[in-house]
Amino acid sequence: APSFPFPSMSSAAARRYARQKKARASSASAADAGEGPDTANLASRMAALLASGTGPEAYEALQLAASVVRRHAKAGDVPSALSVGTAAVLRLLSYGLIPTATQLARDLLALLIDYHVPVTDALVSSVLLSIHAGYVAALSALPSPSDEDHDHHVAFLRDAVRYTDLLGSVRHGDPRVHAALSRAAFDGGRWQEGVTHGVYAEEPQEVARRLQKDVGLREEGEGPAGDRPADVALTVAVTMFLALENMRDATQCVRTYLEEDDRPTNKLTSSFLTSKSNTNYVTFCTSLISICETENKQWFHWLTGGSQCGKKLMDQNKGLVPYITKIGKVYFNVQPPPTMMSMMENMMGMMGGMGGMGM
């Protein structure tokens, strides 16, 4: 005869208990497979909530999705948690609920870090880049996306870069995620961050074209070269590429930039050697690359501080100093003071935007 927890249990109660126990076991088994009742019905339940409104209903949909994600995670089924969570984020984005989606998306990234989930190609594609594509679609569907909307997209991708840096095999983070963040930053008007992550993504042509495309960076300045804000941004990109020992992409970035530029070449290359009052960022970049190729230490010192133009350029853009310092160490064995070495390493490890650039 079967044993029951209570000796006085009636036959009807015993049968009812057995049925409940079997149902619980079935539910647990389905949950382990990522097919529990909550999971199976999540999409339809979220759709019903969101169809009735995007106020309190959106928050309820978020809480519903988050509870299912947490249940899977606590059960040790992280793949199901990610699958359910990603689908829920994309559904929220499809309704234009960008802030709500960001909350759940960033929770997913925190889960990946907390559970020490290693970065894989499949995870980058199916979770990180899939959610990125959802943001792009959501923003494209808006008549006029706000700065806050773009900020949510960027915030998610910053967390994604951090995750791939911490638990991935590529130093500084996965290049594909850096590329996504670079594009999102440029779209949101953050050129410093766009340049930084475009360099880590090793996308010199994309960086150059985005700098030339941004109307806000094309206003021509004074002086024979007519320096533009985009020229300053190009200098940031080139010095970063060189500091990361990537001369190939530094060269390609300048080449593409010049191909896209609408100014006469002689105007861009004029006056750097002779002017005592005007900078010329484009010529500084081409000269720096050539000097690094020839490993001429004397010319390096002259370019970055000995010439009037070079000195003024460096004085106006203090944010370049750590990168120039790293270039001096890598290509010319110029040893910086210990305090500068620490600053240099910290700057090279940063994932955010760069400050201190003269505009």
Side-chain angles (χ1 to χ4, degrees):
S3 61
F4 298 107
F6 305 104
S8 61
M9 183 180 291
S10 67
S11 296
R15 287 193 295 272
R16 185 167 59 251
Y17 173 80
R19 287 195 299 270
Q20 291 171 346
K21 184 177 179 181
K22 182 178 180 181
R24 286 196 298 269
S26 176
S27 295
S29 176
D32 289 340
E35 299 173 354
D38 289 345
T39 306
N41 297 327
L42 178 60
S44 59
R45 292 170 69 188
M46 287 184 68
L49 283 168
L50 297 174
S52 61
T54 56
E57 295 83 1
Y59 179 76
E60 188 176 346
L62 169 65
Q63 293 303 309
L64 174 64
S67 67
V68 177
V69 169
R70 284 194 299 269
R71 179 170 60 80
H72 282 302
K74 288 179 180 179
D77 190 359
V78 175
S80 290
L82 290 176
S83 177
V84 170
T86 301
V89 170
L90 293 176
R91 181 167 293 276
L92 291 168
L93 287 171
S94 72
Y95 278 85
L97 299 171
I98 294 176
T100 309
T102 301
Q103 185 174 338
L104 182 58
R106 298 184 75 177
D107 285 346
L108 286 180
L109 289 168
L111 182 150
L112 288 170
I113 294 173
D114 290 344
Y115 283 80
H116 300 282
V117 179
V119 178
T120 64
D121 286 343
L123 190 149
V124 170
S125 298
S126 64
V127 178
L128 306 184
L129 296 184
S130 178
I131 292 176
H132 161 62
Y135 273 104
V136 172
L139 290 166
S140 298
L142 295 175
S144 181
S146 67
D147 290 342
E148 185 181 3
D149 291 328
H150 286 291
D151 288 346
H152 282 293
H153 188 192
V154 168
F156 163 72
L157 288 170
R158 283 186 193 140
D159 286 356
V161 164
R162 176 172 174 264
Y163 159 64
T164 62
D165 179 38
L166 288 173
L167 294 168
S169 59
V170 181
R171 188 185 180 196
H172 300 309
D174 190 285
R176 293 167 293 179
V177 185
H178 276 295
L181 178 48
S182 176
R183 289 176 170 81
F186 274 123
D187 289 344
R190 300 170 175 269
W191 72 259
Q192 296 98 328
E193 204 163 353
V195 167
T196 299
H197 295 285
V199 169
Y200 282 121
E202 299 184 356
E203 290 198 333
Q205 293 176 305
E206 177 69 14
V207 169
R209 289 177 182 136
R210 291 300 295 257
L211 293 178
Q212 289 285 14
K213 181 181 178 182
D214 191 322
V215 176
L217 296 177
R218 290 173 57 82
E219 183 178 350
E220 196 158 317
E222 299 177 356
D227 287 325
R228 297 170 172 173
D231 298 341
V232 180
L234 172 72
T235 308
V236 175
V238 168
T239 54
M240 280 196 71
F241 276 126
L242 291 174
L244 291 168
E245 302 180 54
N246 189 349
M247 189 179 296
R248 178 201 63 193
D249 285 348
T251 303
Q252 184 61 64
C253 190
V254 172
R255 181 179 295 120
T256 302
Y257 189 85
L258 290 173
E259 289 171 354
E260 299 282 331
D261 203 280
D262 57 3
R263 291 168 290 182
T265 303
N266 61 349
K267 186 174 185 178
L268 290 173
T269 57
S270 67
S271 79
F272 189 85
L273 296 175
T274 57
S275 175
K276 294 184 179 181
S277 59
N278 296 298
T279 57
N280 186 322
Y281 288 89
V282 176
T283 301
F284 177 87
C285 290
T286 56
S287 300
L288 182 59
I289 292 171
S290 298
I291 290 169
C292 288
E293 287 176 337
T294 59
E295 299 183 0
N296 190 314
K297 184 186 294 187
Q298 287 72 29
W299 277 107
F300 173 74
H301 285 306
W302 177 86
L303 179 70
T304 58
S307 67
Q308 291 292 326
C309 284
K311 186 176 185 304
K312 183 175 181 179
L313 186 149
M314 296 300 299
D315 287 343
Q316 290 178 348
N317 299 276
K318 298 297 185 183
L320 292 174
V321 172
Y323 303 100
I324 294 295
T325 302
K326 180 72 179 290
I327 291 168
K329 182 176 182 295
V330 169
Y331 294 94
F332 309 104
N333 198 30
V334 177
Q335 297 300 320
T339 53
M340 180 55 69
M341 176 70 78
S342 177
M343 181 189 299
M344 177 181 72
E345 294 301 331
N346 287 337
M347 286 288 285
M348 294 309 299
M350 283 173 55
M351 293 296 136
M354 258 174 284
M357 297 296 155
M359 294 293 288

